[in-house]
Every structure is written in structure tokens, then in C-alpha cells.
Amino acid sequence: MAVKNQVQLITYPDSLGGDLKALNNILMKYFSDIFKGGIHILPPFPSSGDRGFAPLTYLEIEPEFGTWEDIRAIGENFDVLVDLMVNHISQKSIYFQDFLMRGRKSEYADLFITLDKVWEDGAPVKKDVEKMFLRRKVPYSTFNIEETGEEEKVWTTFGKTEPSEQIDLDIKSDKIKQLLTDFLVNFSKQNVKIVRLDAVGYVIKKLGTSCFFVEPEIYEFLDWIIELANSLGIELLPELHSHYRVQNRLADHGCWIYDFILPYTILDTLINKSSEKLCEYLKNRPSKQFTMLDCHDGIPVKPDMDDLIDTKEAKKLVDVCLERGSNLSLIMSDEHKGLDGFDVHQIRCSYYSVLNCEDDAYLAARAIQFFAPGIPQVYYVGLLAGKNDVENVNKTGEGREINRHNFSLEEIEQSLKQEVVQRLLTLIRFRNEYIAFNGEFEVLESQKDEIKLLWQKDDKYCTLYIDLKTDKSVIEYIDEIGKKALYVV
């Protein structure tokens, strides 16, 4: 099964209308010709935290959202993409709950990484921990086993609580391989076409390393799971926030990758009115990528942009974003901050808000995204030109809620009346349907304050021209009757 070279939507199961049935109705009513590339439904499974990213199982759908029947119904008209958190599972899953009850006697004990699997005596060594790319203060949580009263420390890469809600899986275990097989077999039965391997960079734990994207072991795991997915007609998309060279090595391995460099680079281009870095980047990047501007987390900065940005310049850009209402996610481990202490992991905002709600700038950003080779994904808040949801941040205390607004049917209909949204829909249709996007891409010579990008296939071509002084975008193309035509975005 080939991934379609057309635009995809990213949405939570309950963010457009309240549940999966409503989502399907809205897609069919308003967007049936828009998301021809597919629908990425953020985790619709029973979960105990992190808005779905601490799943209890992948064999069920959270009843509040609907059923597998609803997923299959969406899959009748759109390719469905879902997440598989290969690195971890919920503390509340039946597997870990049984371990909490029975400890090492549990039939599921081998699914988890007790610290004696890492350090022989089970005692963490400070110098080993200091080398790791940490997502919390220490990479483990302590639990008490009910039957024995013993204390067990198990590996937990993620989680804001102590102990963590997200328990790491031991991918060396045959039982985990069987479990992942069961999950993927179920996905194929439910008409799921693409699976994003969330947090895949953390699956290998090896002393003396950062425990992030450990080579060559990571490739052994990827080769195994890709072969399994291929046998089930599923395409895999590994999700990795890392230095661009790591992403490139993954691309060299034949994998789809995420372009986490593009969102910041486009933002920098539009705010600083200079296309130099963007054009240089577009000339040299791998083309087998999924592209995005906004998502449920934030605009990636570190480690994705390491060695691509000057941190003094980056601080200025971050300050502009903060002035426009953004908030920040920061790097935890000192070793992975910049030498000058620069520690911004992600800029959290709606992309429309961070561009000051200026329609032309926002559409210029989308036009660049759609012209960059790859599969464009549009996040549902970006689709509706949603603004920063500061109220929700204040209510929940979760900075990421700034870009996670749930739209009622009424709000969706109101948003669709906005001129910026209608212009975006027109641009998506052009990206989906114009034949030249299946041809050859070229970055044309341009001045610092303009952008010129070209797609060409046989006798058809389209050129994007953006004037950064005004943020106006114009596409020149050859129409059906072979005449030159202009489309003002």
C-alpha cells in the first residue's frame, strides 16, 4: 500500500464535534474532497493520561469516543492513521496492574524493564544516568508490589507524575513482540492503513549511551516491525525528535520520517523576512517525509534544530512568539541544553496566532509546507485557523492545551465562514489535485526577501512565488487547456 501524495488531517477523536461518529459526519459534510491523503486520529484508545498517549490497550476504542465500527466507517472514505506507542503502555493496563499485584511472579513481568535488566544489582549509576537524554528527572519510577510488599523500580522514560503513568516496554522480550504483533494485526482488521510509531527513539536502553536512537540496535527493531507491518498491508511512520543527521540516517534506512525542521524554519522565514535558510534547507532535505506546521505538542526547537540555528537569533524569535501568547516546553537534562543554556524544546501555540493572525502570512506558511516535497499534514486547529486557547491552559495548567481546543459543531461552522479558512481549503484542493506535485521539485534562484519554488511533470508545472515584504503568495501554473494561469493564494 502506497501512502497517497495528498493532504492529511490530524485530529483528536473528540476535537471535531465530540466523538468519532461526529468526526465522520463532519468529514463527509465539509471535507470529503479535502483530506484525500487520510485522517490521523490521535490515540482513540482507553488511556490513563497524556490525552491518549498513556494507552491501556490497542484492542479497544475508548467508549466515550465510539467503537472500532466508527473507525472502520471513517476508513471507508479516508485512509486512517493511528499511533502505536512502541516505547510504553499505561500503568493502568491489565499487564502492569498484574505486575503490581504479583511482581516477578506475574505472567507479564517480562514485559517491563526492572532496573536489574539494566544494572546488574538494580541500583542506578549516576554517571550512566547523566549520559541519558532525560524526559523526566530520573528514567525510572518506584512501585510497591502488593503480594510481597517489595519495592520495584521500573524504567519510565516519560510522565509528569511520580510514579509515572507511562511504563516502558522491554522490546527484547518475546512477549512484547507478540503483544505488538497482536496490536498491528488488530489494526489491519480495522482498516487502519498507516501507523505512527510514537516515541520509537527511546525503545533501546543501553548503558554508556543517551538511551535515545541507539544504533545499530534501533534498526534491528525497525526492520522487524516494518517487515511485520508490510505483511499486514500497513505503512509505518517512525516519530523521532532528534538532530537532523539522525533523521537523515533514518531516511537513508528507507523509512518515512517527519520533517520537524520545517515548522520553525518557515516561522523564522516569515518573521525575519529572509528566505536564505529556508531555500538552502529545501534544496538538501530528504523528500520521503511527512510535513507539518502545528501539532498537539508544539513547534520543535531542540534537539530538532540543533546546529541549524544560532541560539542568539533563536532567543529573539522565541521572544516574539512569547509576545504573541505562546508558552514553552523546556529540555530537562543539562547535558542536552545548549552551551549557553538555551533550553527550548518546543514553542507551544496555534500557528495562526504565532503569525499574529495575519491571513496572508498564514497562507504563505501553508503554501511553503504544501510545496515542500512530502505528505502534508494539517492539524485540526490550523485547519480552522484556531487561535491560542489561553483559557484552557489556565484551567488545566497544561501548556500544550493552548493548541488543543475542542470545536463544537457550531464553532466548526463559524470557523468555516472565515475567509482565511476558505482560502486554505482552496489551497489544499490545488495541492491534492494538481498533477505536477507528482513530478520534480526545484528551488529557483530568488532574492532574500522572496521565495520561488517549482514543481514540474511533463508539460505541466506550478511555481510558488512569495513576496516576504507583503507575505502575498501567487501560484503560476498550466491549466487543463494548456494555458498559463495565475492563482492568488
Side-chain angles (χ1 to χ4, degrees), residues 359-361 363-364 418-429 471-473 487-489:
D359 293 2
D360 287 342
L363 287 153
Q418 295 178 88
E419 187 193 340
V420 63
V421 174
Q422 286 303 319
R423 286 168 67 190
L424 176 58
L425 297 181
T426 303
L427 182 60
I428 292 173
R429 287 189 188 98
D471 293 328
K472 296 279 186 202
S473 309
Y487 156 34
V488 179
V489 175

Side-chain angles (χ1 to χ4, degrees), residues 235-281:
E235 192 86 46
L236 291 185
L237 168 61
E239 184 256 6
L240 199 72
H241 282 284
S242 185
H243 192 285
Y244 71 93
R245 281 196 208 93
V246 175
Q247 290 273 29
N248 289 353
R249 291 203 292 277
L250 199 53
D252 290 342
H253 200 71
C255 295
W256 282 101
I257 59 171
Y258 259 112
D259 190 343
F260 288 133
I261 294 167
L262 200 59
Y264 180 97
T265 308
I266 290 176
L267 188 63
D268 182 35
T269 301
L270 292 167
I271 287 177
N272 290 316
K273 305 292 182 190
S274 169
S275 63
E276 285 175 327
K277 288 179 204 156
L278 175 72
C279 290
E280 194 53 40
Y281 172 61

Side-chain angles (χ1 to χ4, degrees), residues 146-198:
E146 204 169 309
E147 279 185 9
T148 63
E150 288 172 352
E151 211 175 64
E152 282 281 16
K153 286 185 167 68
V154 298
W155 201 282
T156 52
T157 298
F158 298 95
K160 291 189 172 179
T161 57
E162 190 53 59
S164 174
E165 267 305 317
Q166 291 153 300
I167 312 296
D168 283 40
L169 300 169
D170 184 359
I171 56 129
K172 291 179 184 168
S173 160
D174 288 340
K175 286 190 172 176
I176 283 296
K177 289 193 166 151
Q178 187 53 56
L179 199 59
L180 293 175
T181 302
D182 293 346
F183 294 155
L184 281 166
V185 166
N186 181 53
F187 287 161
S188 74
K189 284 180 186 163
Q190 309 297 349
N191 211 6
V192 169
K193 294 289 192 287
I194 308 169
V195 172
R196 179 170 75 164
L197 299 180
D198 189 74

Side-chain angles (χ1 to χ4, degrees), residues 203-218:
V203 295
I204 308 291
K205 282 74 178 172
K206 187 177 178 182
L207 292 186
T209 75
S210 65
C211 291
F212 180 82
F213 203 80
V214 178
E215 298 171 281
E217 290 87 342
I218 185 79

Side-chain angles (χ1 to χ4, degrees), residues 287-300:
S287 56
K288 193 177 173 181
Q289 302 202 54
F290 279 59
T291 68
M292 38 78 83
L293 293 184
D294 45 359
C295 68
H296 64 286
D297 282 338
I299 296 168

